[in-house]
Amino acid sequence: MASMLFSPFKMRDLVLPNRIVVSPMGQYSARDGCATQWHLMHLGHLAVSGAGLLITEATAVHPNGRLSPGDLGTWCDENAEALEPVIAFCRTHGSARLGVQLWHSGRKGSVTKAWEKQLHIPKDKGGWTTYSASPIPYPGRGVPVAPDKKGIDELVACFAAAAARANRLGFDLIEIHGAHGYLIHSFLSPLTNQRTDEYGGSREARMRFALEVFKAVRNVWPERKPIGFRISATDWAEGGWDIEDSIEFARKLRAHGCDYITASSGGAVAEQKLDVHPGYQVPFAERIRKEAGITTMAVGLITEARQADEILSAGQADLVALGRGMMWNPRWPWHAAMELGEEYAYPPQYARAHPSMRSGDFLKPTRDV
Ligand SMILES: Cc1cc2nc3c(=O)[nH]c(=O)nc-3n(C[C@H](O)[C@H](O)[C@H](O)COP(=O)(O)O)c2cc1C
C-alpha cells in the first residue's frame, strides 16, 4: 500500500510532492543578515534531499529581531539580494518547494551564537535594544523594551515588508515564527505579557499582536500562496499558555486564512518542565488538527520513516517536519522512501548511489516525482 509520507499535499496553489518538511534551523552564519556560502551549501544540499518542503531558518524582520549577530534577515533589499543565488541554486538543482520563516527574536535577542553559549551582548559591545510584550528580562539577558502602540504598528509593518520581499524572491510559502519565547510568543503567554493596554490581559487581548502580524502578512502575500504559523502549543509551565489556548488561537488563525499550524512547544520561560521523548509534540498537532479543523505540521524527535508515516496515517498531522534528523542524515527522505517502497526525487548526478544501481543497471532519475 502506498505510504502517506510520500503522498502529495496541496495548500492553496502549492502542491508539495510529499509530506516531509525540513524544519527551520538557524545557522548563525549570516553577515548583517545576509546569506553566505554556508547557506548555499546548507539550504542547497537540503533542497536536493528529496523533502517536499524546505523552510529556511528564522529570518529577522528587523536587525533588532535577530538572536545573534549571525542570524539571517529579510529586513532590507541587501538581505534579499544575498538570498537570491541560494534560492536560484535550490530551484535549479533541488526538488523541494521553498518556504521562508519570518521572525523577531524579542527579549531573547542580542546574544552570541549557539556554540558560543548564547551569552548576552551588551550595547557597548555591539548588542542592541530588545523588545518584548513587557519589560521582563529572560534570565541572563538584557531588559527588553515594551513597545507602545506606535512601536507595535512599526513591528507589524516590518513583518509585512519582509513578506513582500520574500514574495519578490519567489518563496512558495511563509511560516510566521510565533513560538519558542520570541516576540510574538511573548505577547501570547501570560507569563511574559503583563500589559494593561489592549494587547494584554485576556487571552483575546494577548492574541491581538499575533493576529495583527498574521493579517498584515496575509495582506501582502499572494492569495495563491500558503502561510503557516509556528506556535508553542504549551509553555510547559504553570499559569502559562497551554494547549487549550493554542486550539482557540488556531481557530482564530484559520478564520483569518492561515493554512497550517506547526505545533512546537516551550521556550517562553526558563523554568519550563519539558517532557521530551520521540514524537513528544505530536499530540499537540493532533488536538489542534481535530479541534480547530486546521492542517497541522508535527515536529520534534520524529526520526524514523515508519514513525513519520504512522503519524500521518493516524490522522495526527498532515505534514511532518524534521530538524536535527535532516542535519544528521540529509538523505533521510531517500532512505525513508526505500524503506516504505516508494519512488523519490534525487538529482541525476547521484542516481548511481541508489542500491538498485549497484549491479550496473541504469535507473531513470525521478527528479520530478
Ligand atoms: C540548530 C537548530 C536551529 C534551530 N533553529 C530554528 C529556527 O530558526 N526556527 C524554528 O522555528 N525552530 C528552530 N529550531 C527548532 C527545529 O526547527 C525543530 O523544531 C526542533 O529541533 C525539534 O525537531 P527535531 O527533533 O526534528 O530536531 C532549531 C533547531 C536546531 C537543532
Side-chain angles (χ1 to χ4, degrees):
M1 201 183 78
S3 72
M4 282 286 284
L5 191 60
F6 285 88
S7 63
F9 190 72
K10 189 166 190 256
M11 287 186 281
R12 297 189 187 241
D13 283 0
L14 178 66
V15 180
L16 304 177
N18 59 56
R19 315 289 185 105
I20 305 167
V21 179
V22 182
S23 205
M25 282 180 291
Q27 298 297 297
Y28 307 92
S29 299
R31 267 184 232 110
D32 297 324
C34 290
T36 61
Q37 285 199 328
W38 181 263
H39 296 93
L40 186 62
M41 183 285 294
H42 171 69
L43 294 170
H45 88 301
L46 292 169
V48 302
S49 68
L53 176 65
L54 165 62
I55 307 181
T56 67
E57 68 189 78
T59 70
V61 300
H62 190 280
N64 67 29
R66 289 172 298 168
L67 193 60
S68 82
D71 291 356
L72 208 53
T74 35
W75 69 78
C76 64
D77 294 341
E78 287 74 26
N79 294 165
E81 265 168 43
L83 266 175
E84 255 173 38
V86 178
I87 294 167
F89 179 95
C90 294
R91 291 270 185 234
T92 307
H93 300 291
S95 58
R97 309 302 183 256
L98 304 175
V100 62
Q101 195 184 48
L102 302 184
W103 162 78
H104 189 295
S105 59
R107 70 178 188 150
K108 290 176 129 179
S110 197
V111 293
T112 58
K113 299 173 182 186
W115 56 84
E116 293 164 354
K117 301 196 173 141
Q118 296 197 326
L119 302 174
H120 175 59
I121 309 174
K123 274 205 227 157
D124 59 358
K125 296 261 171 8
W128 52 85
T129 303
T130 57
Y131 293 84
S132 192
S134 299
I136 310 165
Y138 189 80
R141 307 201 185 175
V143 179
V145 169
D148 58 11
K149 174 68 182 142
K150 185 168 164 285
I152 285 180
D153 290 347
E154 284 167 8
L155 286 162
V156 170
C158 287
F159 275 91
R165 224 166 258 124
N167 185 43
R168 288 196 291 276
L169 276 169
F171 277 107
D172 300 309
L173 167 149
I174 282 179
E175 179 169 285
I176 298 172
H177 194 348
H180 305 167
Y182 299 121
L183 183 68
I184 293 176
H185 189 181
S186 80
F187 275 82
L188 294 172
S189 173
L191 300 176
T192 46
N193 182 343
Q194 294 176 4
R195 298 176 72 101
T196 52
D197 63 359
E198 73 262 44
Y199 291 93
S202 66
R203 176 167 71 192
E204 203 73 13
R206 283 181 279 112
M207 292 192 300
R208 191 183 308 276
F209 175 65
L211 292 172
E212 283 182 1
V213 167
F214 181 81
K215 284 187 263 181
V217 169
R218 187 69 270 176
N219 215 19
V220 299
W221 189 242
E223 193 61 32
R224 66 194 158 80
K225 295 189 190 182
I227 307 180
F229 210 103
R230 175 174 279 228
I231 61 169
S232 280
T234 175
D235 286 343
W236 299 109
E238 217 177 308
W241 177 266
D242 64 18
I243 181 64
E244 304 300 333
D245 296 318
S246 295
I247 292 165
E248 190 48 36
F249 182 46
R251 287 190 185 120
K252 288 262 187 312
L253 282 169
R254 192 194 60 169
H256 285 103
C258 182
D259 297 287
Y260 74 89
I261 300 287
T262 304
S264 189
S265 69
V269 289
E271 62 271 21
Q272 63 185 8
K273 301 248 174 328
L274 291 173
D275 176 15
V276 180
H277 52 267
Y280 70 108
Q281 295 171 148
V282 174
F284 300 131
E286 180 176 19
R287 280 201 62 191
I288 293 167
R289 184 173 189 263
K290 291 191 173 140
E291 295 178 47
I294 189 166
T295 294
T296 59
M297 188 186 291
V299 69
L301 286 182
I302 300 168
T303 53
E304 306 302 321
R306 290 197 192 283
Q307 173 199 16
D309 192 47
E310 276 162 26
I311 290 166
L312 300 170
S313 44
Q316 293 181 291
D318 302 280
L319 299 159
V320 287
L322 282 80
R324 291 163 293 180
M326 283 298 297
M327 277 201 298
W328 183 246
N329 173 13
R331 309 290 182 239
W332 191 92
W334 301 5
H335 304 152
M338 184 91 179
E339 192 176 336
L340 299 175
E342 295 279 1
E343 275 296 327
Y344 57 97
Y346 53 85
Q349 292 92 329
Y350 282 7
R352 293 189 67 185
H354 194 285
S356 69
M357 297 282 285
R358 288 178 193 157
S359 61
D361 291 343
F362 278 87
L363 190 84
K364 186 175 170 288
T366 54
R367 184 196 304 242
D368 296 329
V369 168

